[in-house]
Amino acid sequence: AARAQSEAVNQQQQQSGAEGEQPRVEDVDDEEEDADKLLLYGSKQIIRLFVPVSICMLFVVSIISTVSYYSSTQQYLPYTPFHDQTDDPGKIAWQSILNALIILGLVIVMTIVLIVLYKLRCYKVIQGWLYVTSVLILFFFSLIFFGVLLSTLNLAFDYITMAVCVWNFGLVGQVAIHWKGPLLLQQMYLIFISALMALVFIKFLPEWTTWVLLVLISIWDLVAVLCPKGPLRMLVETAQERNESLFPSLIYSTTAAYMSVGTAEQPQQQQQHDGNVSSDLDESGSHQQQHQAAAQVLNGGGGDGGEAGVSGGHDGDGPDAAGAGSNGLRVRNKAFHDESHGVKLGLGDFVFYSILVGRASSAGDWNTTLSCYFAILIGLSLTLLLLAIGRRALPALPISITFGVIFYFLTSLIVSPFVDALTAQQFFI
Amino acid sequence: MTLLEFFGCSLISFSPALIMFIFTVANNPLKIIILTCSAFFWLLSLLLSSIVWFAVVPLRKQLVFSMVVSILFQEAIRIAFYFFINGGGGSSGGGGGAAAASSAGGSEPLTDADQVTLTAGTGRPVKILHLHSLSYVCGLGFGFMAGAFSMVNLLADISGPGSVGLGGEHEGFLLVSSVLALMFVFLNICWTVVTFVCIEDRRLYFLAYVWGSHLLCSLLTLLNSSASPLLSLVPIMVSLTCALIGLLLSLHLVEANLAGFFTSLVSPAWMLRVCRR
């Protein structure tokens, strides 16, 4: 189908070329119109990601500021053994660095295990692992969340009703995420579990460990996705070689992930992978899996910029993969009307963005929260821009997290005192 | 009581901006991105001015100095944003103006004439958004951020227990703050439109109005510090006047039909145009 399209376009172009000098302006017109459409299309995709990311962050921030359970850290995970309450900066520094390194090590181990399993085609094992983790989140963490929410709102609720509600909630979530369901429902559940994971992390990680961890994870993301021997890059390439999709449910997708257009290559494999994905997010380890998929943001990452051949294999990328060479823009115009390819962002990115903003808001200063939010949004737009230019798997974390962390510290240390001094006396600038 | 006050004050400050966002910006993804960008740039200007405030230790208590510095930085960033967005000559890609034939920004009453200045001869690309709607969106971003930074902590404090004077101030404290935030949102829109159109048309003398009124409105808020609430009426009224003058000036500069503009604000046709989208 893709090849046929590009041939038709070739003919079109030859025809228009044969008309002589007059179409020169029209050519410029068309080029500009194409670039215009591209810009509009690109910005549409960016907004499609802004919305869920903002919703997730808003959810996390509102829960942190109202439910005291998540903003108080009394217990710690066994992965962060160093958590003395001390004011000595040196001690805080080495403790948080060690904690973060331990967690990062865990992440790396998990990623490697995942890749080994994937390479050995142990899809059932991966599937089972993802199922178990999503059950954990959708049932147990949700139960705790609802319990704490109810106690904050001071509502009385009996166990039986609670059991029925959580059972239904969790089961529908499982179905929506791992199997078929309305797209909106799936998206809502994915946002919910990302927010829940972020809340859990904010609760259980000591403060400075969070910041060091964020920095280290984004460096790891950068390395893993971009280096030639990086695990996530290998994962993406293996998936591309086998023409398989890459855990569609670990990814937030703005269009239905199960389009069969262009993925007719290996329907059986496709079937398998339909169920394969999930929103695992048990430990930070699995967040990494989403970054590979974070790669497939915007026009389906690897499939794009390829030749007019059938590259298929990626959810809903079929028509888009035809965007090749000189005919690229033209063909893509046709693909625009399809809307069958959406933007995909890994759930791990949601989690880490929300962790950053949630941690920023737990300090109580809303100026900081606001500036971190905008910094992350700008980082996300830049990443998507780079993706549109680079057309390959890109990590979504580094730029946003860098901006976010820089702005957090700058705002909380320098801007906030200034602004507070101004607003206390109602001076406006 | 406290939540009521919270919603009241937040709506005083932000509902016009919110409505403007919903009706003119929300349906165009490119505008939303530009809005975010401009809000970020305002944040940058605030960052720069805070660094100056932080660095000049002896003058930390004298907020006048840092206010003036902040105003200068804001205006500089406004001008810088113009060049950033317009790519200094229309190079395509990213934040600059990519080529386009149609107008994407005809959604507010101001831009009746969506001119397409296609320079096919030189092959130079053309703006995808008309400059007027671009400047309006930027102004909205600047204004929103400016208002947000002055209001958001206040609003958070209000939603907790106990308000009225919020720490020993007079009872009109919150109202004054909210109204001034509202004023500054409008003012920022007007200033940005005037600035962008001025630079585009090279009529730089109108920039004097922008700089002058910004300094005036901002420094008049120094009067707020006294315990007498009535004195706060001065900055509010002056800001209102400046906003109205700014509105008329920007309308004049974009060559909009004034009568048409005001009737379009209340006429059903405008509503129909919005609803049709």
Side-chain angles (χ1 to χ4, degrees), chain B residues 5 22 35 67-68 83 99 121 135 153 158 166 188 204 228 262:
Chain B
E5 194 152 29
I22 291 175
L35 188 88
M67 278 169 73
V68 172
F83 288 111
S135 55
N153 269 337
I158 297 177
L166 207 71
N188 265 295
L204 295 174
S228 140
F262 284 113

Side-chain angles (χ1 to χ4, degrees), chain B residues 207-220:
Chain B
L207 281 182
Y209 162 74
V210 172
W211 293 53
S213 63
H214 197 167
L215 280 167
L216 180 69
C217 296
S218 206
L219 292 176
L220 272 180

Side-chain angles (χ1 to χ4, degrees), chain A residues 230-245:
Chain A
L232 297 181
R233 183 167 169 162
M234 285 186 341
L235 196 62
V236 173
E237 282 165 4
T238 318
Q240 281 175 6
E241 276 167 38
R242 298 184 192 167
N243 266 333
E244 288 162 359
S245 61

Side-chain angles (χ1 to χ4, degrees), chain A residues 32 36 365-367 426 428, chain B residues 99 118 128 153 173 177 218 224:
Chain A
E32 288 168 349
D36 172 18
D365 182 19
W366 289 82
N367 291 335
Q426 293 188 304
F428 278 76
Chain B
L118 185 59
I128 185 170
N153 269 337
F173 183 81
S177 282
S218 206
N224 277 334

Side-chain angles (χ1 to χ4, degrees), chain B residues 122-142:
Chain B
T122 59
R124 270 179 56 174
V126 135
K127 310 281 183 301
I128 185 170
L129 277 184
H130 202 229
L131 181 74
H132 302 158
S133 49
L134 192 73
S135 55
Y136 159 76
V137 168
C138 294
L140 198 59
F142 269 50

Side-chain angles (χ1 to χ4, degrees), chain B residues 201-277:
Chain B
D201 294 343
R202 302 272 181 260
R203 290 195 276 177
L204 295 174
Y205 37 86
F206 281 118
L207 281 182
Y209 162 74
V210 172
W211 293 53
S213 63
H214 197 167
L215 280 167
L216 180 69
C217 296
S218 206
L219 292 176
L220 272 180
T221 57
L222 286 169
L223 290 174
N224 277 334
S225 60
S226 69
S228 140
L230 280 182
L231 215 52
S232 305
L233 271 180
V234 177
I236 294 177
M237 284 303 147
V238 172
S239 318
L240 186 60
T241 325
C242 286
L244 286 174
I245 298 178
L247 177 67
L248 292 174
L249 186 62
S250 36
L251 287 177
H252 163 72
L253 280 176
V254 306
E255 281 134 39
N257 181 6
L258 271 174
F261 170 69
F262 284 113
T263 42
S264 68
L265 281 181
V266 297
S267 77
W270 168 76
M271 297 285 284
L272 280 176
R273 201 151 42 109
V274 165
C275 297
R276 203 183 303 136
R277 230 178 316 279

Side-chain angles (χ1 to χ4, degrees), chain A residues 29 32 36 39 43 47 365-367 370-371 374 378 407 410 414-415 418-420 423 425-429, chain B residues 29 32-33 40 43 46-47 50 53 70 74 99 118 128 145 148-150 152-153 156 173 177 218 221-222 224:
Chain A
D29 238 346
E32 288 168 349
D36 172 18
L39 193 63
S43 47
I47 296 302
D365 182 19
W366 289 82
N367 291 335
L370 211 62
S371 69
F374 275 99
I378 294 288
F407 269 82
L410 282 178
I414 301 184
V415 176
F418 178 52
V419 174
D420 285 341
T423 52
Q425 297 185 303
Q426 293 188 304
F427 298 161
F428 278 76
I429 48 170
Chain B
I32 300 182
I33 296 177
F40 183 70
L43 185 61
L46 182 67
L47 186 66
S50 321
W53 170 80
S70 175
Q74 279 181 50
L118 185 59
I128 185 170
M145 205 59 165
F149 259 78
S150 46
V152 112
N153 269 337
F173 183 81
S177 282
S218 206
T221 57
L222 286 169
N224 277 334

